[in-house]
Every structure is written in structure tokens, then in C-alpha cells.
Amino acid sequence: MGDYWRKVFARAWSDTKQSFGWNQKTALTALAALAGIAVAFIQLGLVAAIASATGLFWTALPIAIAGLLLFVWNFISAPASLYNELSKEYGERIAALELALANLRQLPLDYAAWRHVDRLSLRDAAFLWCELSPASQAMPSNVNAWFNALAAAIAKDELDFEPQYRESPPARERQREYQKRNPQLDTIVTRKALKAFANIHGYDPKFLRDA
């Protein structure tokens, strides 16, 4: 329990500092103000130093009160933020474990069979790239990362794809450009195109090996 409240306090303090932009620059500004009081004391005497400090105090007091109120607010709201982060983290872990369990229940990938498949959706290609069966329902983070990588390769003309035309020939070029900029899970790529992309970057996924 003590560790939990330390995390709440740390989050509230961090959020408060971030709200005020507390960093090296603001710390140097505060030190410069204190140095100004010291200079006033040395050159003008105690009365001038007290007057300078009093002015700074009344200037800083509203900021300090606002900071205290903001810290209290952040302290109250920190548990909800921590809960959301933990929920997301554990949700991803549970999804990964469920996927791993589902993969354990499945038969191993038949790479010999996949070598005869010349056309793949980006979704299937991303799963196979990660040595996972495309039959899986959930898309884990590593598969999603490779889907994004392949989609980006299409957008950069590093990976050829097969456009799906739904309009008359005059509009096909425009449609192809749109699909290139916005690849989808069902965007079709060929085995040959995937191998060319892999060769460019030095990748060697198992499902693209000839034997």
C-alpha cells in the first residue's frame, strides 16, 4: 500500500511540475531572483533587501497557492490515471497471453503450404512475418507493428501492391494513389513483392524462403 501512495504522490508531483513547466530554466530564474535579493542586501542594506524579498513574496504567493491547489487536484486525479495505465498494460498482457495460448493450441505453421500462396493480404503477411498463424483473431503488438511497416512500405513505393479498382479506367490512377496512401488489412501484396521488400532491407522471414 505504501508503494501505491508513493506512486500517486510521484505522479501528482510530476503532473504539477509539468503544468508549471518546471525545468532548468525556471530553476535558474528562481536562483536569479534570490541572487537579486542578495545583491540588494550587499549594496543597499537590510531594508532594501527586505523590501525586495517582500515584493517577490507577494508576487510568488498566488503562484504558490495555485501550485498547491493544482497539486491537490493532481493528487486526487492521479489514482484514476494510474488505474487507466495499469488497465491498458494488463489488458495488453492478457491479450498477448490469450494469443500465445491460442497459438499453442494450433498446429505449427505449414511453411511448405504457404510457399505456394502467391497473393496475401497485408494482415496475413504481417502474421506470417511474425511466424504466427493468420487464423488468429487478435492482432498482437508485434504483428500490428509489421502491418504498419508493410503499409508504410507501400506508401513509400518500397512494396508493390495490387490495387482494387471499383471505378472506370479514367479514375483508376486516382484510386490507386488513394489506396497506396491508405493501405488496409485486406490490401493485396504478392509473394514476389514481399521478397523484393525483404531483400532491400536484409530481412529473411521464414515464410518467404523457397525451401
Side-chain angles (χ1 to χ4, degrees), residues 12-13 15-17 19-20 60-74:
W13 178 245
D15 290 347
T16 303
K17 287 196 301 180
S19 299
F20 279 92
L61 182 60
I63 299 175
I65 294 174
L68 179 61
L69 293 175
L70 182 60
F71 175 79
V72 172
W73 176 264
N74 288 331

Side-chain angles (χ1 to χ4, degrees), residues 141-187:
S141 58
N142 59 333
V143 175
N144 188 61
W146 271 108
F147 166 75
N148 290 331
L150 296 175
I154 289 176
K156 293 185 293 186
D157 285 325
E158 293 182 354
L159 176 60
D160 290 333
F161 73 106
E162 294 186 359
Q164 304 299 311
Y165 296 121
R166 298 181 180 85
E167 298 180 14
S168 58
R172 287 187 174 182
E173 184 60 28
R174 183 177 69 250
Q175 195 168 12
R176 184 185 187 283
E177 284 300 313
Y178 176 81
Q179 293 179 24
K180 187 182 80 170
R181 293 193 304 269
N182 301 277
Q184 304 297 315
L185 291 172
D186 60 352
T187 297

